[in-house]
Amino acid sequence: TVILTPGFTRPQSMFHQAMVTATAAAYNDFLINEVLPASPRIKAEIMINHRNPADGAAEIRRVGSNPGFVGVYTEFGGNYEPIGTAKHDPIFEAAVEHDLVVTSHIGMFWQKASPLSEGTRTWTELVGISAVCTSMAYVGSMIMQGLFDKFPDLRVIIKEGGFWWLPEFMAR
């Protein structure tokens, strides 16, 4: 089985919010009409506008019952409010309603919007440090702000944020 993600077609960095919402809906409709019917072994994540949680939740509810969708795609980074905040609850509520995993991928090309990137000179410093530290901040936000207490059936995947930091993080 293959699970398609929006990848670099994700629109979160677009300035115009209505355009982000429209792009997400068009992408999901394309998957439903053109891609998912090709094989039952093709699954996908729903593209949403997570910067506008009401629009994001509405899109999940619009297409979330399609059996081809197995997750909801979001991204995170230094220029976005952490997804653990109550502002994003509508997205998580809709994902739980449809039994979809919420995946979050490190966003922002080159991570330059993160304060963690200040003074970096190499790709390794920038991605190796900024992405991991931002992942920690987002996971911390989800835990400390009670996301999993509010939505005990919620499943979340952090993509490309590393994992070696998890034992130390859990100890703290």
Side-chain angles (χ1 to χ4, degrees):
T1 299
V2 173
I3 300 174
L4 303 174
T5 66
F8 284 110
T9 61
R10 62 190 181 267
Q12 300 303 334
S13 298
M14 290 179 189
F15 177 75
H16 195 279
Q17 290 298 302
M19 183 67 78
V20 177
T21 298
T23 301
Y27 174 85
N28 296 327
D29 288 343
F30 176 77
L31 289 175
I32 290 168
N33 296 321
E34 304 294 331
V35 178
L36 297 175
S39 170
R41 296 185 59 188
I42 298 174
K43 304 294 180 187
E45 295 179 331
I46 300 169
M47 181 190 287
I48 64 166
N49 179 359
H50 81 257
R51 289 170 48 211
N52 182 329
D55 285 358
E59 184 63 11
I60 295 167
R61 289 187 176 106
R62 185 179 78 84
V63 299
S65 62
N66 184 302
F69 289 117
V70 295
V72 176
Y73 190 90
T74 68
E75 70 180 28
F76 62 94
N79 61 346
Y80 304 130
E81 182 177 336
I83 61 171
T85 61
K87 167 185 172 181
H88 297 93
D89 283 358
I91 292 169
F92 298 116
E93 183 177 11
V96 168
E97 286 172 14
H98 291 281
D99 193 30
L100 297 167
V101 175
V102 174
T103 64
S104 200
H105 184 275
I106 187 75
M108 308 170 322
F109 186 69
W110 282 80
Q111 308 307 318
K112 284 305 283 182
S114 171
L116 298 168
S117 68
E118 289 301 315
T120 59
R121 297 182 324 267
T122 66
W123 172 263
T124 303
E125 284 179 284
L126 190 60
V127 175
I129 296 169
S130 180
V132 171
C133 293
T134 305
S135 297
M136 285 189 246
Y138 271 66
V139 170
S141 167
M142 287 184 259
I143 294 168
M144 301 308 287
Q145 296 196 40
L147 180 64
F148 301 106
D149 295 324
K150 289 185 269 187
F151 304 102
D153 294 328
L154 179 65
R155 295 169 295 149
V156 176
I157 296 172
I158 301 293
K159 291 184 179 180
E160 294 196 64
F163 63 88
W164 52 266
W165 52 268
L166 220 49
E168 178 66 21
F169 184 84
M170 290 167 50
R172 292 182 172 268

